[in-house]
Amino acid sequence: ILMVFAALLASWWSYQHLEQAKANTQQAVDDLHFSQSAIKAIATGDAKSGQIQDNTINARSLAGKIQSFARAAQIKENSITRIQPIRPVRIEKTDYQEVQTRVTLRSVNLPSLTKFLYNLETSEQPLHVKNLRINQPSQQMGNQELWHAEIVLTYLVYAPKES
């Protein structure tokens, strides 16, 4: 019976691993097709006609997504003390701008913070953690270790230089 259980467990784990690999492969194929069409549009000069999707995320939408990721990570809504957009910065000698947003979290535990960051990085949104600073507050609540975190999120926006 133990051998049958071990075989079933191994089969289940293999199936889960295969399904995740399949999903990752499909995402890579989709990304490749999008990149190829974007390259073609840029090369032929069609980029200005709107064939490249606008990756701009408005501030209200971004704040909602951040709050959603925080809820999924079991971070209390009042732990998010700041979501502050920062002026976009042109990436040197390119037609792209890097848009940054500063997020400040107060009194969060490390497992929830880790899940929040993982959710941000693996979401379909083009968000990436550029900078992370955590520190322990001077006073702890009960037995739980709580931390403060300052996070800078970034994403790129296609913004051709005006002639």
Side-chain angles (χ1 to χ4, degrees):
I1 292 180
L2 187 57
M3 293 296 276
V4 171
F5 178 73
L8 286 173
L9 184 62
S11 296
W12 176 81
W13 181 84
S14 296
Y15 177 76
Q16 293 298 321
H17 185 70
L18 179 65
E19 285 297 311
Q20 183 63 43
K22 184 178 171 184
N24 290 344
T25 301
Q26 185 59 49
Q27 181 65 45
V29 168
D30 293 345
D31 290 347
L32 175 64
H33 290 141
F34 174 78
S35 297
Q36 287 173 333
S37 67
I39 289 169
K40 183 185 261 183
I42 291 169
T44 60
D46 291 339
K48 292 180 182 173
S49 69
Q51 288 192 10
I52 297 177
Q53 87 180 39
D54 182 11
N55 286 330
T56 304
I57 303 172
N58 70 43
R60 179 174 289 143
S61 173
L62 180 60
K65 290 175 190 333
I66 290 170
Q67 290 169 342
S68 173
F69 291 133
R71 275 192 302 275
Q74 299 177 342
I75 293 175
K76 296 176 185 168
E77 196 166 325
N78 64 353
S79 292
I80 303 172
T81 59
R82 180 185 309 166
I83 300 175
Q84 175 188 16
I86 301 171
R87 178 185 293 264
V89 176
R90 178 153 312 276
I91 297 176
E92 191 174 321
K93 299 180 183 177
T94 71
D95 285 336
Y96 291 90
Q97 291 182 337
E98 180 182 62
V99 179
Q100 298 183 4
T101 302
R102 184 178 317 276
V103 178
T104 305
L105 302 174
R106 297 287 180 229
S107 301
V108 296
N109 62 45
L110 288 180
S112 293
L113 177 60
T114 303
K115 186 172 182 182
F116 173 70
L117 296 172
Y118 176 80
N119 290 344
L120 283 168
E121 283 285 340
T122 59
S123 75
E124 293 181 11
Q125 300 302 317
L127 296 172
H128 301 286
V129 177
K130 181 174 184 172
N131 192 349
L132 170 64
R133 190 170 119 201
I134 60 174
N135 57 31
Q136 195 169 24
S138 58
Q139 291 188 343
Q140 291 295 314
M141 297 173 63
N143 301 7
Q144 204 173 22
E145 282 195 20
L146 300 176
W147 299 82
H148 297 327
E150 292 181 23
I151 306 158
V152 176
L153 303 174
T154 64
Y155 64 95
L156 297 181
V157 174
Y158 180 71
K161 297 176 186 173
E162 295 186 17
S163 302

